[in-house]
Amino acid sequence: MSSPSTPGAGTSRAGPAADVGRWFSTAAPRPAGASAPTSARGPRLPAWGPMVGAEYGRRSPASEVTAALELLRDRPVAVLTGAGMSTGSGLPDYRGRDAVPRSPMTYQEFMGHDLARRRYWARSTVGWEQFGRARPGRAHRLLAALDPAAFPVTAVITQNVDALHAAAGSDPVIDLHGRLDRVRCQQCDALSSRAALHARLLMMNPELAARLPQLAADAAQAPDGDAEVDRTSSFRYPPCALCGGILKPDVVFFGESARRETVSAAFAALAAAEALLVLGSSLTVQSGLRFVRAAGRAGQDVVILNDGPTRADPAATLRLHGRLEDVLASWADATGAVAAR
């Protein structure tokens, strides 16, 4: 792919998409037995990886799947999605059965350490063209088709940063944690294209550019922290062209808050709904969990569908287990929704 652009553009996909979680791993391997990092706000950050003792692979009976559809049918619904939504597109999740354990990079680490920024931009430069091959999966397409055949969707509030909901046709989409196809200056707040930055990074790092396929293969196969690209401490990255500030992907890092206007839009979409449907999220972090709690306070029904436990299971009106594609397909069949399969 010679000119990566907004993820989801195009019609074909070659090979697995990049493991975006690697880009956000902590800048230096942590010694054995060392504690997890803390953000400036205090709480200890959870490591990514499968949840200990969790039951994966469970499937809800057809009667429960049908009951959930009847609960939501013909009512305005806000939809909250997580990483499990995009596994069918080749993007790995962070706490599912097959998640790779690693410790997340914090906003404070990225902003405070040049080495962390070098490591991030080196990793993402190697993986970006792969990431650009990701296409909406069946779950994305089915969800878009269910609105309004099964229920009108006030908004898809997604914790993902891949822009695949919009590419599948969902509208409106609220990117709670931002989008990887954009870059934001941390000083003047200017937005720019990640694709344009990618071209510039390759020009600034010709040795890496010449070895891009080899490094991409190495990064895909090596254990976390062992890929050769992780040792590229000489990697160069540019400042903001307008003010000289630090450029950062327009996504929310651990220890950083989502943009206020984005959160307000998400809560407005929830307020306009009668129910909340959660798809593919463990709700481990407060960023997503707060919407379930807000729905509960408002007396709204909450339906959660996820493979593996979620932090909000006790708060669910109905809790479904299974593959997103299977449940959404059964709802599409029951309501006559049509989606490209």
Side-chain angles (χ1 to χ4, degrees):
M1 186 171 179
S2 59
S3 179
S5 57
T6 303
T11 58
S12 64
R13 177 180 163 214
D19 180 354
V20 181
R22 289 182 56 84
W23 306 355
F24 295 96
S25 294
T26 186
R30 190 179 316 132
S35 60
T38 59
S39 76
R41 306 167 111 197
R44 178 165 293 179
L45 298 179
W48 290 330
M51 301 176 75
V52 177
E55 178 185 2
Y56 295 101
R58 185 177 166 191
R59 299 288 184 267
S60 291
S63 59
E64 293 181 5
V65 173
T66 299
L69 174 60
E70 292 307 311
L71 180 66
L72 300 173
R73 197 162 186 167
D74 298 326
R75 303 171 69 194
V77 175
V79 180
L80 175 67
T81 71
M85 197 79 193
S86 294
T87 54
S89 299
L91 300 178
D93 61 10
Y94 302 125
R95 293 186 178 85
R97 172 172 46 191
D98 300 320
V100 177
R102 59 172 64 92
S103 297
M105 181 184 294
T106 66
Y107 174 76
Q108 293 74 21
E109 186 178 10
F110 181 90
M111 293 299 296
H113 301 282
D114 172 69
L115 178 60
R117 294 192 292 275
R118 288 177 190 267
R119 183 177 170 102
Y120 173 81
W121 288 120
R123 283 180 166 193
S124 65
T125 298
V126 169
W128 177 253
E129 292 187 24
Q130 251 184 309
F131 179 75
R133 298 188 186 109
R135 300 292 179 262
R138 190 179 178 210
H140 296 104
R141 298 192 298 271
L142 286 166
L143 177 60
L146 285 170
D147 176 18
F151 40 76
V153 174
T154 62
V156 175
I157 306 163
T158 184
Q159 299 172 86
N160 300 336
V161 296
D162 50 37
L164 294 179
H165 280 298
S170 288
D171 183 43
V173 177
I174 298 172
D175 298 294
L176 188 63
H177 293 163
R179 286 171 51 155
L180 267 176
D181 60 348
R182 300 184 302 221
V183 178
R184 187 180 294 273
C185 174
Q186 299 304 287
Q187 182 166 301
C188 71
D189 209 40
L191 279 175
S192 55
S193 162
R194 176 65 179 83
L197 177 61
H198 180 69
R200 190 174 179 191
L201 289 168
L202 292 179
M203 291 179 63
M204 294 177 69
N205 298 276
E207 292 185 4
L208 181 142
R211 303 175 58 222
L212 203 56
Q214 175 190 342
L215 289 172
D218 180 39
Q221 296 172 9
D224 188 53
D226 291 340
E228 187 173 348
V229 67
D230 293 338
R231 299 191 288 273
T232 313
S233 59
S234 61
F235 188 87
R236 298 173 61 213
Y237 60 91
C240 173
L242 296 178
C243 73
I246 294 174
L247 294 177
K248 174 182 164 292
D250 189 29
V251 298
V252 178
F253 279 53
F254 279 85
E256 181 182 14
S257 297
R259 296 181 72 84
R260 183 175 301 177
E261 62 272 23
T262 303
V263 175
S264 295
F267 275 113
L270 180 61
E274 294 180 8
L276 174 66
L277 171 62
V278 180
L279 299 172
S281 175
S282 64
L283 300 169
T284 302
V285 296
Q286 182 64 26
S287 181
L289 181 63
R290 58 183 161 179
F291 294 102
V292 176
R293 290 176 171 168
R297 290 193 297 270
Q300 296 166 306
D301 288 313
V302 176
V303 175
I304 298 176
L305 169 58
N306 191 59
D307 181 23
T310 83
R311 193 174 170 188
D313 283 356
T317 309
L318 286 176
R319 174 64 165 96
L320 298 180
H321 302 265
R323 290 175 51 84
L324 302 184
E325 295 88 342
D326 294 343
V327 173
L328 295 178
S330 72
W331 290 356
D333 290 341
T335 58
V338 177
R341 301 199 180 191

